[in-house]
Amino acid sequence: MTTQAQERSRDALRAAQLYYMQDLTMDAIAHEMRVSRSSVSRLLQHARDVGLVTISISPPDDARGQMAQRIADRFGITAHIVPTPARTSEAERLERTALTAARSLAERVESSMTVGVAWGSTLSAMARHVPQKDVHDTHIVQMNGAANVRTSGIPYAGEILSKFGAAWSSSVHQFPVPALFDDPRTKQAMWRERSVRSVLEIQQRVGLFVFGLGSPHADVPSHVYSGDYFDERDRAVIEREGVVGDCATVFYRADGSSDIPELNARSSGPDLDTVRRIPRRFCVVSSLSKLDGLRGALAAGLITELVVEESLARRLLAVTR
């Protein structure tokens, strides 16, 4: 960090302490620090942006709080409900949910932690909002490959990972393999390569896994379904097997089962047993069209903490009474 940046962070910390802990007005802080009121406002914003200040809200026993508690009781997870107006586009629901999730996730990231990231539309939206946090020896690892017949996937997945890495000054470990192999034997051979094995070993150390849920029926198309990842045979398997969603390109049915070797034996993502062994599994979902995918993920036991948009949360409770 440069001297100028250090000075700004020091000033931001002082302004934040005066404002939030000593209840001084911005005018009083400006007078004490001998700066303008607008400078104080910018310092306070900087303190929030870089994680010097985090804001939590403790609402009364309102409807969203009750919904979160009902989801927690019913599924044995922690739930966070993201409020949205009734008439909101799917894109806006995603953006609001991603913003809330990014801030919530940053609170959970700690030094010496390995964070697994599954790329996709939801994680791409989250990456735009992830706040800075001062941690050290933190690692970000890609959990599934992103290559297909038209792209290496590196620019897309790499941009997502790099934004998380930059926010937390973390080491980033990409996984430059196909999302789905043509032949499971090719995957088995590649898994023996030392360069690939080194990433797999980092994945085994993941203590916090952050992911969205892919869905073949999402209104805002999941990246794996809208890109060139499937041929006609794959799409026929998805239809025949009743696939409702995927976690890191590992596919499952409404009951949470994933014994679909025609797809999952070729997937570069961790199998669902491996996912379930990760201590903290942070899932983010915003679209009503992903209801079946969310129910399947809950049935599979993939989630320990859920950030979910309000109307989807309400629908989830209505269909699982």
Side-chain angles (χ1 to χ4, degrees):
M1 184 182 290
T2 66
T3 301
Q4 186 176 4
Q6 289 173 333
E7 289 177 355
R8 189 178 186 205
S9 291
R10 186 165 55 245
D11 288 344
L13 177 60
R14 183 182 176 193
Q17 289 171 329
L18 294 172
Y19 186 75
Y20 291 105
M21 301 181 70
Q22 298 185 26
D23 290 331
L24 294 187
T25 66
M26 284 197 279
D27 287 332
I29 296 169
H31 178 74
E32 180 168 328
M33 296 183 66
R34 298 184 180 181
V35 296
S36 67
R37 190 181 189 282
S38 60
S39 294
V40 173
S41 179
R42 287 192 293 271
L43 288 171
L44 292 174
Q45 183 62 52
H46 180 70
R48 292 191 292 270
D49 289 343
V50 302
L52 293 173
V53 171
T54 58
I55 298 174
S56 62
I57 299 174
S58 300
D61 190 20
D62 62 357
R64 283 189 293 275
Q66 291 176 20
M67 277 197 293
Q69 189 59 53
R70 288 170 62 196
I71 290 173
D73 293 342
R74 191 163 301 176
F75 299 105
I77 64 174
T78 300
H80 309 275
I81 312 299
V82 180
T84 56
R87 294 183 179 179
T88 306
S89 69
E90 286 294 318
E92 179 64 18
R93 291 179 196 276
L94 172 60
E95 198 68 12
R96 290 188 180 217
T97 305
L99 174 59
T100 298
R103 291 176 174 173
S104 182
L105 177 66
E107 294 175 3
R108 286 145 184 76
V109 173
E110 303 170 354
S111 295
S112 303
M113 174 181 279
T114 300
V115 180
V117 172
W119 54 265
S121 302
T122 300
L123 270 293
S124 180
M126 283 181 63
R128 294 194 292 270
H129 299 294
V130 63
Q132 296 182 21
K133 186 173 184 178
D134 186 16
V135 292
H136 61 85
D137 193 31
T138 300
H139 296 260
I140 310 295
V141 61
Q142 181 179 339
M143 295 297 282
N144 55 318
N148 62 28
V149 294
R150 295 188 182 275
T151 175
S152 68
I154 292 174
Y156 177 75
E159 182 180 12
I160 295 171
L161 268 70
S162 65
K163 288 179 179 177
F164 283 100
W168 303 328
S169 302
S170 304
S171 300
V172 172
H173 307 273
Q174 294 191 7
F175 197 30
V177 299
L180 290 166
F181 288 85
D182 289 336
D183 189 321
R185 291 171 297 184
T186 308
K187 170 185 169 179
Q188 293 164 10
M190 185 166 280
W191 261 219
R192 293 193 293 270
E193 289 292 322
R194 285 180 297 172
S195 60
V196 173
R197 229 171 37 238
S198 67
V199 180
L200 293 171
E201 288 168 358
I202 296 170
Q203 291 178 0
Q204 292 172 7
R205 301 199 299 266
V206 166
L208 172 60
F209 177 31
V210 54
F211 59 100
L213 298 175
S215 169
H217 309 298
D219 290 338
V220 176
S222 302
H223 190 77
V224 71
Y225 297 93
S226 62
D228 294 305
Y229 289 94
F230 301 123
D231 58 22
E232 289 304 314
R233 182 184 60 181
D234 294 331
R235 295 185 185 280
V237 172
I238 289 170
E239 183 69 25
R240 184 180 72 246
E241 294 287 348
V243 169
V244 297
D246 75 274
C247 171
T249 56
V250 173
F251 302 85
Y252 56 83
R253 305 182 185 90
D255 63 359
S257 61
S258 59
D259 53 327
I260 311 171
E262 290 172 270
L263 293 173
N264 290 339
R266 298 160 44 213
S267 173
S268 58
D271 63 64
L272 301 192
D273 284 336
T274 298
V275 171
R276 284 186 282 263
R277 287 194 291 269
I278 298 172
R280 302 174 74 176
R281 307 182 295 277
F282 188 95
C283 179
V284 185
V285 195
S286 66
S287 174
L288 278 169
S289 58
K290 291 188 177 182
L291 175 62
D292 289 342
L294 175 56
R295 294 178 68 191
L298 288 166
L302 303 181
I303 301 168
T304 61
E305 188 164 0
L306 175 67
V307 179
V308 60
E309 186 273 331
E310 182 176 5
S311 59
L312 176 56
R314 190 176 294 109
R315 186 73 62 83
L316 173 67
L317 287 169
V319 299
T320 55
R321 289 175 179 170

